[in-house]
Amino acid sequence: MVTRGFTGRQSTDNHSDRIPPGQHLVENFPVLSAGPTPRVELESWKFTLKIGPRPVKFWTWTEFNDLPQTKMTRDIHCVTSWSKLNTVWEGVTVDDIFADAGIEAPTAFVLAHSYDGYSTNVPLADLASGRAMVAVKYEGQPLAPDHGGPARLLVPHLYFWKSAKWVNGLQFTERDEAGFWELRGYHIYGDPWREQRYAND
């Protein structure tokens, strides 16, 4: 399922210092998914925080949106070679999720889970300290299903497959467990500035 050839085009504009190697700038927002788009009703949406298999706390859609809301403007980079600058998101930082659950992180590793069965691993250090959020709005509007709505994880400094669409939970794990794409040959970490697309990159 891994496809080579993500060479991209070199950027020639004055934003070149913000575009990682092998990437090219886009103005649109391409839609890429591993499978069909799930349709999640807000009345049944639930976000769960787990330590291993044990649920610690869950939030309904209303409860989640009552948490502190943060706006974040970031550049994003897809492993398929496109980059989009100055994207504007709103949602709940992972720090605020942990704070509302009243826990301190018990391990250094996290798996994000989604409604379509997708998962991806992200080190705790890349989620904490204001680096990541669960986004519910994009450009001031509710997040569209094709882009991961009602809610998606946003980890903008890593390749965008780490920003799991249709997210419904975070799970602390004892080790750095590979998720969907990582099990299929993608890099375990995914730093776009180091071109960590595949397992041996």
Side-chain angles (χ1 to χ4, degrees), residues 29-48:
F29 194 163
V31 174
L32 298 167
S33 302
T37 299
R39 301 294 170 175
V40 183
E41 299 297 330
L42 299 184
E43 294 77 11
S44 60
W45 185 91
K46 185 171 72 171
F47 185 89
T48 305

Side-chain angles (χ1 to χ4, degrees), residues 7 16-17 54-55 59 74 76 91 126 144:
T7 56
S16 58
D17 60 333
R54 178 174 64 89
W59 295 262
R74 297 289 187 274
I76 56 176
D126 292 277

Side-chain angles (χ1 to χ4, degrees), residues 49-96:
L49 183 63
K50 294 181 177 182
I51 297 176
R54 178 174 64 89
V56 175
K57 185 168 183 175
F58 74 85
W59 295 262
T60 65
W61 180 253
T62 299
E63 291 167 342
F64 194 82
N65 281 269
D66 284 341
L67 297 178
Q69 300 291 305
T70 298
K71 183 180 286 188
M72 187 181 287
T73 301
R74 297 289 187 274
D75 302 341
I76 56 176
H77 311 288
C78 182
V79 72
T80 60
S81 84
W82 59 262
S83 293
K84 185 172 176 61
L85 306 184
N86 301 317
T87 61
V88 182
W89 307 83
E90 293 175 60
V92 182
T93 66
V94 175
D95 299 304
D96 285 332

Side-chain angles (χ1 to χ4, degrees), residues 127-186:
L127 297 176
S129 303
R131 304 187 79 190
M133 68 162 49
V134 173
V136 297
K137 289 184 178 180
Y138 174 72
E139 299 289 352
Q141 299 298 317
L143 190 58
D146 283 348
H147 288 302
R152 79 176 296 160
L153 186 63
L154 177 69
V155 191
H157 59 284
L158 299 181
Y159 278 125
F160 216 45
W161 91 77
K162 295 290 185 177
S163 295
K165 293 182 175 183
W166 314 297
V167 70
N168 66 2
L170 296 175
Q171 177 188 14
F172 288 103
T173 57
E174 291 293 334
R175 58 185 180 83
D176 198 9
E177 296 185 20
F180 180 87
W181 284 118
E182 295 82 13
L183 288 169
R184 290 160 174 81
Y186 277 45

Side-chain angles (χ1 to χ4, degrees), residues 105-117:
T107 74
F109 306 108
V110 176
L111 267 177
H113 296 279
S114 300
Y115 272 99
D116 63 342

